Amino acid sequence: MDRRPSKTPGFWESTVGKKTVMAVSGLVMLLYLVVHMLGNLKIFFGTDEFNGYAHWLRTVGEPFMHYEWTLWLVRIVLVLAVVAHAVSAYQLSRRDINARPTKYVHKRKRASYATRTMRWGGIILGLFIVWHLLDLTTLTVNEHAVHGEAYQNVVATFSTWYGNVIYIVAMVALGFHVRHGFWSAAQTLGVGSAARDRALKTAANGLALLLTVGFVSVPVAVMTGVVS
Amino acid sequence: MKLTLRVWRQRNADADGAMSTYEVDGISSDMSFLEMLDTLNEELILRGEDPVAFDHDCREGICGACSLVINGDAHGPERTTTCQLHMRSFRDGDTIDIEPWRAAAFPVVKDLVVDRSAFDRIIQAGGYVSAPTGSAPEAHATPVPKPDADYAFEHAECIGCGACVAACPNGSAMLFTSAKVNHLNVLPQGAPERETRVLDMVGQMDAEGFGGCTLTGECATACPKGIPLPSIAAMNKEWLRANRKVSRG
Ligand code: HEM
Ligand code: SF4
Ligand code: FES
């Protein structure tokens, strides 16, 4: 078809391309988080069911897949998504800050609300992912720390004040991130339009609320003794 | 009306600038904002001082020359151009802050005047149609469906003022570029360059040092011509489509 003029940059060099990478990797993580949140709710059905579920996660796909292969596949996709998302977010944010080197003397608060909550929220989520892996995957910082006893490990985490604070702050940040992020991703991928705007915003708010409430229900249940 | 103005003064592109305070009296609420600045400049000239430099041309809201960030809002508190803003939007005794558009891609030339030629280069990169010049074509030769014509007109309203860039916390030119891309890409006359247009204009936009879009929506709120925020999503769609269609090399 068309011949490309040589000066046009490639996909990754373009701000729109990087934003597309950010949107797709964000949606991959979002899909994972919805499934993850629903899985977490199994904790309300008791120790055996939850620990059985945790064991099943390692045997999914057998006998075609070997023990833990599916789990590792998911982990690899997630690591790629986190890295792609964080790198594009970092590079775009730097570019954006450099594009406005002189600030206005007359300040307005509203202007950068969404951008700021996305950047700070993203940093909080990045730190949380590290903590969360050390706490419940590697069990490095967990108080119970017995492999195969996921239920007891979770109860141990949410029996400490800092475990609850870190988790709840991160899940509120997640809600805000998804609220702007889901709608943004629709615009970035070109499915946003004036006619669909309301539906997309409602979906974004619903998804954000569902994730935050679903995830936070677990520490609340431990704190109130519903799960122990 | 009696007003206190705090105006950005900067001798030239390389000099440091600062806000200077001026008092103006006898301002009528029927004056436009630019007439109010003319009043200030007449006084400054009489006092032997350097008048405040600002851009303007048509003073009818159609050319896109006027600018000014007024109390933090591009083109001031009403949804219109600065030249069409009237002093009845302010009250006697107000203090008004007046600053130039702020963006790395729009360097200050003097006082409130910025260099917006980055926009011209974005247009040069693809904001045109290749048509035989000479005699006018037969008007019925290329039918355009009514919804497409409306869509093109809506985007053709962009006057290239740059308020979108000034309002955006990232100094992004996505709303301007999307207006120009969508205007031509929807029309049959624009079809031959549909893919190269969006790729080259976005490429030039990035090369000029504008920031990326974080969808804060400040651009569409500031735009005097009501170019809507979904225009950016529509351009992203065109850009992704062009990437799939066009062979690189
Ligand atoms: C490593 C931690 C993270 C960082 C540093 C981060 C940072 C960011 C930033 C800066 C943006 C751009 C906001 C904007 O353009 O206004 C963004 C967008 C987004 N994020 Fe994240 N985020 C992180 C984690 C997540 C997670 C866990 C999810 C999954 C729910 C997610 C989903 C999204 C989505 C869907 C978008 C929208 C993409 C777009 O604007 O087109 N992010 N992120
Ligand atoms: S999109 Fe609106 S604000 Fe931006 S240059 Fe065009 S008319 Fe001005
Ligand atoms: S001077 Fe022409 S639009 Fe304001």
Side-chain angles (χ1 to χ4, degrees):
Chain A
M1 266 206 64
D2 283 308
R3 180 185 42 81
R4 303 291 322 111
S6 55
K7 70 173 190 290
T8 305
F11 194 93
W12 175 248
E13 275 68 48
S14 165
T15 51
V16 181
K18 283 191 207 296
K19 188 89 184 168
T20 305
V21 169
M22 183 151 77
V24 171
S25 55
L27 291 177
V28 167
M29 290 189 282
L30 184 59
L31 180 69
Y32 168 78
L33 286 180
V34 172
V35 176
H36 186 9
M37 185 274 288
L38 292 174
N40 285 1
L41 298 181
K42 300 212 102 197
I43 202 154
F44 290 101
F45 301 108
T47 317
D48 292 345
E49 184 155 346
F50 192 71
N51 288 350
Y53 164 67
H55 178 72
W56 172 79
L57 288 177
R58 277 139 242 273
T59 62
V60 185
E62 284 183 8
F64 181 71
M65 298 297 251
H66 184 67
Y67 180 74
E68 283 200 346
W69 275 17
T70 310
L71 186 67
W72 276 103
L73 206 66
V74 171
R75 284 173 176 169
I76 290 165
V77 170
L78 282 175
V79 168
L80 290 177
V82 170
V83 170
H85 196 79
V87 170
S88 48
Y90 173 75
Q91 292 188 353
L92 282 173
S93 298
R94 274 203 51 158
R95 210 194 138 87
D96 295 349
I97 292 164
N98 290 337
R100 169 59 60 69
T102 315
K103 305 282 167 252
Y104 289 110
V105 174
H106 191 109
K107 298 268 181 287
R108 283 161 76 245
K109 286 220 171 55
R110 190 158 63 80
S112 50
Y113 164 79
T115 306
R116 266 213 301 263
T117 48
M118 286 310 268
R119 288 183 193 149
W120 284 108
I123 291 168
I124 292 172
L125 288 174
L127 294 173
F128 172 75
I129 291 170
V130 174
W131 156 263
H132 192 60
L133 289 175
L134 291 175
D135 181 24
L136 290 168
T137 306
T138 66
L139 306 178
T140 317
V141 297
N142 194 278
E143 299 275 333
H144 184 74
V146 180
H147 281 284
E149 295 190 0
Y151 186 96
Q152 291 84 342
N153 294 334
V154 168
V155 172
T157 292
F158 296 132
S159 303
T160 62
W161 66 267
Y162 55 87
N164 286 319
V165 169
I166 294 173
Y167 195 85
I168 292 171
V169 167
M171 291 308 105
V172 170
L174 176 70
F176 281 109
H177 202 80
V178 168
R179 184 169 183 247
H180 184 69
F182 180 78
W183 174 82
S184 287
Q187 313 304 313
T188 302
L189 299 177
V191 290
S193 70
R196 266 189 232 126
D197 205 51
R198 264 190 98 88
L200 283 170
K201 283 206 166 112
T202 310
N205 288 344
L207 211 52
L209 201 65
L210 185 82
L211 279 178
T212 302
V213 170
F215 276 123
V216 168
S217 70
V218 178
V220 169
V222 175
M223 278 190 273
T224 54
V226 176
V227 168
S228 59
Chain B
M1 290 164 83
K2 190 171 187 303
L3 300 164
T4 305
L5 305 177
R6 299 203 309 154
V7 184
W8 182 262
R9 301 303 309 263
Q10 181 173 338
R11 271 189 175 284
N12 56 51
D14 303 318
D16 287 334
M19 299 296 270
S20 296
T21 306
Y22 303 96
E23 306 280 336
V24 282
D25 205 349
I27 300 298
S28 149
S29 61
D30 294 331
M31 279 183 179
S32 76
F33 199 84
L34 297 185
E35 285 171 325
M36 184 277 292
L37 285 179
D38 292 338
T39 311
L40 168 69
N41 276 345
E42 279 164 16
E43 279 177 33
L44 289 180
I45 291 165
L46 283 178
R47 294 210 301 253
E49 291 178 36
D50 195 21
V52 177
F54 60 89
D55 265 325
H56 61 105
D57 189 9
C58 70
R59 297 204 177 196
E60 290 183 348
I62 54 171
C63 74
C66 61
S67 55
L68 308 186
V69 170
I70 302 163
N71 286 339
D73 290 321
H75 287 306
E78 312 284 340
R79 172 171 282 216
T80 184
T81 53
T82 295
C83 59
Q84 291 291 299
L85 177 68
H86 288 86
M87 294 314 293
R88 51 182 163 271
S89 299
F90 300 89
R91 270 174 308 180
D92 188 34
D94 275 359
T95 298
I96 306 176
D97 289 340
I98 310 171
E99 299 174 71
W101 284 175
R102 291 290 187 201
F106 286 166
V108 172
V109 176
K110 182 177 183 346
D111 297 339
L112 302 169
V113 176
V114 299
D115 179 357
R116 283 172 282 189
S117 41
F119 269 12
D120 300 338
R121 290 187 290 273
I122 295 176
I123 295 292
Q124 281 162 13
Y128 52 80
V129 296
S130 40
T133 52
S135 58
E138 153 57 30
H140 295 296
T142 316
V144 180
K146 178 73 163 64
D148 291 356
D150 289 346
Y151 188 81
F153 270 126
E154 185 184 14
H155 290 96
E157 277 199 58
C158 166
I159 53 176
C161 62
C164 42
V165 175
C168 175
N170 310 320
S172 172
M174 287 284 277
L175 194 69
F176 165 77
T177 309
S178 74
K180 300 302 174 192
V181 165
N182 295 339
H183 164 205
L184 298 177
N185 270 23
V186 72
L187 293 173
Q189 289 87 345
E193 297 95 358
R194 182 169 170 190
E195 291 82 19
T196 47
R197 174 177 301 114
V198 62
L199 293 175
D200 291 344
M201 289 178 80
V202 169
Q204 189 63 36
M205 177 190 85
D206 285 345
E208 296 292 346
F210 291 106
C213 176
T214 53
L215 294 151
T216 60
E218 290 298 320
C219 53
T221 307
C223 175
K225 297 296 158 183
I227 305 296
L229 190 59
S231 300
I232 292 177
M235 177 171 76
N236 289 337
K237 190 175 178 179
E238 284 294 308
W239 189 88
L240 290 169
R241 177 187 171 279
N243 259 284
R244 286 194 302 273
K245 288 224 153 198
V246 168
S247 59
R248 296 179 175 282

